[in-house]
Amino acid sequence: MSKQITLAVVGAGNRGAAYTRIARATGLGRVVAVAEPREPRRTAMASRHAVEPALVVDDWRKLADRPRVADAVVIATQDADHVEPAVRFAELGYDVLLEKPMATSEADCERIVAAAEKSGALFAVCHVLRYTPYTRTLKALVDSGRIGDVVSVEHLEPVGWHHQAHSFVRGNWRREDLGSSMLMAKSCHDIDWLAHIVGRKAVRVSSFGSLYHFRPENRPAGAADRCLDCGVEEGCPYSAKKLYMPALASATPDSWPLAVITDDLSEAGVLRALEMGPYGRCVYACDNDVVDHQVVALEYEGGVTASFTMTAFTPSAHRKTRLFGTHGYIESDGVTLRVQDFRTGEWETVDTRAAADATAAGGHGGGDHALVTAFLEAVRSRDTSRILSGARESLDTHRVVWAAERSRTTGETVTLS
């Protein structure tokens, strides 16, 4: 095997841990430096990858101030903290794997693109949906002309009621001022994926959505501010006890969502986190403001249209899509594709053998593994064609998200330049 790619990691949370675990499992990469402000997370990642103590730091700037310590850097900080390390490490010549979204403003995304292009660094954004076996199969089928020209698309992201409660009501992405809109934080994947499948640029966007349910006025009578103190918790689908306590039986240091709420994965540790921390709060008594449902209507070059729905009120599942072509039709559940050819009337079922499930815990249907593998192989070979989601492509689809948000808040259809 050729030399392993050495990696510096900025952010040792759930995503940083997942990507580096995959890099080690493939044998293609190894972690040689860790920057993370939280001591338990920093120590755990450094220990897992046997990182030299001198390269385990609490601030990424301490790595950036050194002579180059790795071939590439994985940036998996919170959304609002992406831009500075992304720009600096690109300037220093590191190849960069950046968690999505790129940044929380268009100006910051443009800074990242400029730095990446000026440096010549290999730069990939973690739009993992482009890399799944399912997407590769669907994209090849569409590009082959199997259903003729794609005229319109329906696409659904079923967020899942408990994922919404965890991440977007109680968690880090609950408020726009802490990061970004729900559409950017959760569904920039999907807006990017639609552009990838359709193969055209969006020209007009409109959108509707709101925070419908997770509001104080929907709080049940008798509900307490915290689930552990609540007399009506047992009948609530969003109970923190129901969400987190059953997961203890199979918990590991990287288990999602338990590892997000506490570093102490004992029963006492989880109960303490629910008693004291944000994840034990009643979903009707939080400071959340992001939407819990949204629809986006898109018009692409040439008159192709798409509709996208994101909703909290589903089971956790793979995305579901229908594609309407001039010569055929595809309906899919994220694992299998059912294809009808209008010329013969016949149906075919294609099993894409999607790995695991669609959640972060399940590796996003094989997307996490495929993304990390593609990035490491690209760094080693300098073959940029392996990267399906570069900085400029990601900026283009991020702009569609911001246009959709302008439409949602103003009520106007937005034309993209």
Side-chain angles (χ1 to χ4, degrees):
M1 179 181 290
S2 302
K3 175 181 83 74
Q4 286 184 312
I5 301 303
T6 54
L7 298 170
V9 182
V10 177
N14 181 265
R15 301 312 295 150
Y19 295 142
T20 54
R21 185 171 59 248
I22 293 166
R24 184 177 62 178
T26 64
L28 297 171
R30 63 187 179 92
V31 176
V32 298
V34 177
E36 165 59 53
R38 298 167 296 176
E39 191 279 330
R41 298 297 176 93
R42 182 172 69 246
T43 300
M45 179 172 284
S47 175
R48 186 179 307 125
H49 295 280
V51 179
E52 293 182 9
L55 294 178
V56 182
V57 298
D58 60 0
D59 190 315
W60 63 266
R61 296 167 186 84
K62 294 179 180 178
L63 294 181
D65 287 342
R66 296 170 179 257
R68 187 169 167 180
V69 300
D71 299 313
V73 61
V74 177
I75 299 175
T77 57
Q78 288 296 301
D79 301 350
D81 300 326
H82 285 177
V83 60
E84 298 301 335
V87 168
R88 183 61 180 144
F89 282 106
E91 290 173 342
L92 292 171
Y94 287 78
D95 295 321
V96 179
L97 181 65
L98 176 64
E99 181 59 296
K100 64 82 191 167
M102 294 173 66
T104 58
S105 74
E106 187 168 357
D108 281 345
C109 285
E110 289 172 344
R111 285 183 61 199
I112 291 171
V113 171
E117 294 182 345
K118 182 177 180 180
S119 71
L122 192 150
F123 203 104
V125 179
C126 297
H127 286 300
V128 296
L129 294 186
R130 289 197 180 206
Y131 294 84
T132 65
Y134 162 76
T135 298
R136 289 178 181 270
T137 302
L138 176 59
K139 177 68 171 168
L141 192 154
V142 169
D143 289 352
S144 73
R146 178 72 178 277
I147 63 169
D149 294 338
V150 173
V151 179
S152 56
V153 183
E154 291 180 356
H155 184 61
L156 167 69
E157 179 178 14
V159 175
W161 84 95
H162 49 81
H163 187 6
Q164 183 81 23
H166 170 75
S167 294
F168 306 104
V169 178
R170 296 174 171 125
N172 292 328
W173 294 274
R174 67 189 183 274
R175 287 189 356 227
E176 287 198 36
D177 66 330
L178 297 177
S180 59
S181 67
M182 176 80 180
L183 192 65
M184 180 62 80
K186 186 71 177 78
S187 301
C188 70
H189 272 321
D190 298 272
I191 300 300
D192 178 82
W193 185 87
L194 283 166
H196 179 60
I197 294 298
V198 171
R200 300 168 185 249
K201 289 191 174 184
V203 294
R204 289 199 298 169
V205 183
S206 62
S207 183
F208 305 89
S210 65
L211 176 57
Y212 180 90
H213 183 65
F214 300 100
R215 305 165 62 95
E217 56 265 39
N218 292 321
R219 183 171 173 162
D225 287 344
R226 288 189 170 272
C227 294
L228 294 185
D229 304 322
C230 185
V232 298
E233 166 271 329
E234 187 174 346
C236 178
Y238 306 104
S239 161
K241 289 173 65 176
K242 290 179 181 177
L243 175 56
Y244 299 112
M245 299 309 293
L248 268 172
S250 57
T252 68
D254 294 328
S255 291
W256 186 91
L258 272 187
V260 175
I261 74 168
T262 180
D263 295 313
D264 181 355
L265 296 182
S266 66
E267 181 176 358
V270 173
L271 286 171
R272 185 161 48 250
L274 298 185
E275 180 183 4
M276 306 294 294
Y279 294 95
R281 294 181 296 178
C282 173
V283 294
Y284 307 103
C286 293
D287 58 342
N288 57 302
D289 63 15
V290 299
V291 303
D292 54 22
H293 69 119
Q294 188 165 353
V295 296
V296 182
L298 301 128
E299 182 182 21
Y300 295 91
E301 294 169 334
V304 175
T305 59
S307 63
F308 168 64
T309 298
M310 178 281 298
T311 179
F313 308 107
T314 69
S316 286
H318 288 280
R319 274 81 168 174
K320 294 173 174 55
T321 312
R322 295 176 178 175
L323 294 95
F324 307 91
T326 55
H327 291 162
Y329 165 79
I330 302 171
E331 60 183 23
S332 60
D333 60 5
V335 178
T336 59
L337 307 169
R338 294 189 68 240
V339 186
Q340 185 177 41
D341 187 325
F342 296 163
R343 290 159 289 199
T344 65
E346 295 181 352
W347 286 89
E348 179 187 2
T349 299
V350 180
D351 184 354
T352 67
R353 302 187 182 276
D357 62 43
T359 67
H364 295 110
D368 288 357
H369 188 280
L371 164 72
V372 172
T373 301
F375 176 74
L376 293 173
E377 289 179 340
V379 172
R380 188 165 66 177
S381 66
R382 312 314 296 173
D383 179 4
T384 58
S385 69
R386 296 179 182 273
I387 301 303
L388 305 179
S389 51
R392 185 159 292 279
E393 295 95 331
S394 297
L395 173 58
D396 285 344
T397 58
H398 280 24
R399 282 176 169 148
V400 179
V401 175
W402 284 311
E405 279 300 287
R406 286 198 298 275
S407 174
R408 184 181 70 84
T409 56
T410 66
E412 299 176 355
T413 297
V414 176
T415 299
L416 292 153
S417 59

